[in-house]
Amino acid sequence: MLYYLLYPLHGLIPGLNVFRYITFRAIGAALTAFLILLYVAPPFIAFLKRMQIGQVIRSDGPASHFSKQGVPTMGGLLILLAVTFSTLLWVELDNRYVWILLGVTLWYGGIGAYDDYRKIKKKNSAGLSGRGKIFFQVMGAAIAGAALFSVPYFDTHLSFPFLKNVRPDLGSWYMLFALLVVVGASNAVNLTDGLDGLASGPTVISGSVYLLFSYLAGHAGLASYLQIPYVQGAGEVAVFCGALVGACLGFLWYNAFPAQVFMGDVGSLSIGAALGTVAIIIKQEILLAIVGGIFVMEALSVIIQVGYFKISGGKRVFLMAPFHHHFEKKGWQEPKVVVRFWIISIVLGLVALATLKLR
Ligand code: 57M
């Protein structure tokens, strides 16, 4: 919005020229979202407490979590507010990728919010049924996929990190692939969100890496030089990523150990879906497995644990899944697990950046 209000005045006030630049607007979006979180979170957390929107802790989890009973949850609503407001403030509003991104993020946020609310208000309820959740997730991803397919010349080729000449065309199967990426990413972040700062930290890192990749993908010259797919209009996705990074950084301020607030499914499902959709739009889908390696690892640990549990008739590979519980059960302090997972996430982010040159 600021772009339309201020850039036309650059003839009168030369400094306003900066609103043309995606880099400037992405930084503006990040700072705006960060400040919104920083200032709105304290009264919002107080409001959640007043409304008794507190976490119900499962009795079969690590004992160190019992003291978290009643910590305000659904803080993800703030992330959604900050991302939406900041994105609308800083993007070029005629970019359809941005609307698709906001649509997916809010849709998944809606699913999560409904689930959270049911879990909290009916304390013994597990929220939405697993099937119900997946149904609405697939529906949201399918609508987004259809919107993407309606973009003229939408590219259905896959690009692989490190392999510039391997670009298989999935054709109409791409739709199914996109569904898997978005739904998978959403649930992977949801499973990861089980320790203070464990989902918000890696989201800041993954979002920052995708911010850079989006900028490059939307720049014809740089995309061609780096031999990555050029996606016209993808530069504005960098502004959305900026808002996501800023919002999660601001959220981390309050979610850092010992957390004053949890994001709830409203946050984790929407963040994951947003990252998956960014990856699809800028044609760096496979790269998400590296950038979001922590989320992938957590999801895999659950698949392996549940699979082995069923096959072996009750045996386990990990002390407890998702993976972060395994380390807690081994006696690691929560902040140690979280910071080490952040370190891995940073290293994976660097590996992802290396793919720009090693191809
Ligand atoms: C949600 N949610 C946290 C909070 C957060 C199939 C199965 C593996 C599914 C899995 C599951 O339900 N995962 C998804 C994980 C919960 O956090 C809430 O949920 C939101 C995210 N969706 O925002 O609102 C708890 O996590 C802790 N937490 C923090 N800090 C945070 O910033 O400490 C969350 C955010 C919170 C809080 O304690 O209450 C969760 O873990 O429930 N199920 C599991 O993860 C369970 N694993 C399991 O059953 N494993 C078995 C199976 C696979 C065979 C095994 O390994 O033996 C564990 N979850 C819990 N207790 N809480 C088991 C024990």
Side-chain angles (χ1 to χ4, degrees), residues 3-317:
Y3 172 78
Y4 297 99
L5 291 176
L6 300 176
Y7 179 63
L9 302 177
H10 74 275
L12 295 171
I13 310 169
L16 296 182
N17 199 29
V18 289
F19 282 91
R20 216 184 85 205
Y21 299 113
I22 286 168
T23 41
F24 174 75
R25 288 188 286 112
I27 293 168
L31 290 177
T32 306
F34 176 71
L35 290 175
I36 290 176
L37 249 299
L38 222 52
Y39 284 101
V40 182
F44 187 71
I45 292 171
F47 168 77
L48 290 173
K49 277 187 184 157
R50 261 200 320 277
M51 299 301 289
Q52 298 188 322
I53 309 217
Q55 188 67 46
V56 181
I57 306 289
R58 285 172 50 159
S59 55
D60 53 354
S64 56
H65 284 243
F66 298 159
S67 60
K68 295 175 188 238
Q69 178 74 32
V71 170
T73 185
M74 293 186 78
L77 284 171
L78 271 185
I79 299 179
L80 290 184
L81 171 86
V83 169
T84 308
F85 180 81
S86 179
T87 301
L88 294 178
L89 196 64
W90 290 97
V91 282
E92 284 185 25
L93 293 169
D94 60 358
N95 183 290
R96 80 166 89 183
Y97 292 133
V98 169
W99 289 105
I100 293 173
L101 274 166
L102 283 177
V104 171
T105 309
L106 293 174
W107 179 282
Y108 276 72
I111 301 171
Y114 180 71
D115 196 32
D116 285 334
Y117 192 75
R118 285 200 35 158
K119 277 188 222 159
I120 293 158
K121 286 299 158 191
K122 301 185 178 175
K123 288 207 177 343
N124 293 323
S125 155
L128 259 179
S129 72
R131 275 192 194 171
K133 225 186 218 178
I134 290 285
F135 173 78
F136 287 110
Q137 288 179 338
V138 169
M139 197 176 182
I143 296 170
L148 278 176
F149 262 64
S150 72
V151 174
Y153 311 114
F154 180 71
D155 186 4
T156 52
H157 289 83
L158 282 189
S159 47
F160 285 85
F162 301 114
L163 305 169
K164 66 172 176 264
N165 294 323
V166 181
R167 296 211 65 220
D169 187 4
L170 296 189
S172 44
W173 287 101
Y174 191 90
M175 180 81 168
L176 184 64
F177 173 75
L179 282 184
L180 287 175
V181 172
V182 176
V183 174
S186 174
N187 287 303
V189 174
N190 187 35
L191 289 170
T192 305
D193 189 25
L195 296 180
D196 298 352
L198 191 59
S200 40
T203 302
V204 170
I205 298 158
S206 313
S208 305
V209 173
Y210 268 115
L211 187 161
L212 180 69
F213 269 87
S214 308
Y215 175 72
L216 297 172
H219 192 294
L222 289 172
S224 149
Y225 170 67
L226 293 166
Q227 298 184 306
I228 57 169
Y230 166 61
V231 183
Q232 196 181 0
E236 295 301 317
V237 175
V239 182
F240 173 87
C241 289
L244 183 66
V245 168
C248 287
L249 203 56
F251 182 76
L252 186 55
W253 189 272
Y254 300 98
N255 183 228
F257 182 86
Q260 293 159 266
V261 66
F262 298 155
M263 65 173 73
D265 286 14
V266 57
S268 57
L269 290 179
S270 53
I271 285 174
L275 285 174
T277 311
V278 168
I280 296 287
I281 291 174
I282 67 161
K283 311 302 307 164
Q284 295 292 344
E285 317 88 344
I286 309 287
L287 189 80
L288 186 59
I290 299 176
V291 179
I294 286 291
F295 305 131
V296 174
M297 193 178 79
E298 292 270 31
L300 277 180
S301 74
V302 170
I303 294 168
I304 293 169
Q305 181 91 328
V306 174
Y308 188 69
F309 191 86
K310 283 187 181 158
I311 296 168
S312 68
K315 288 190 189 153
R316 289 177 166 82
V317 176

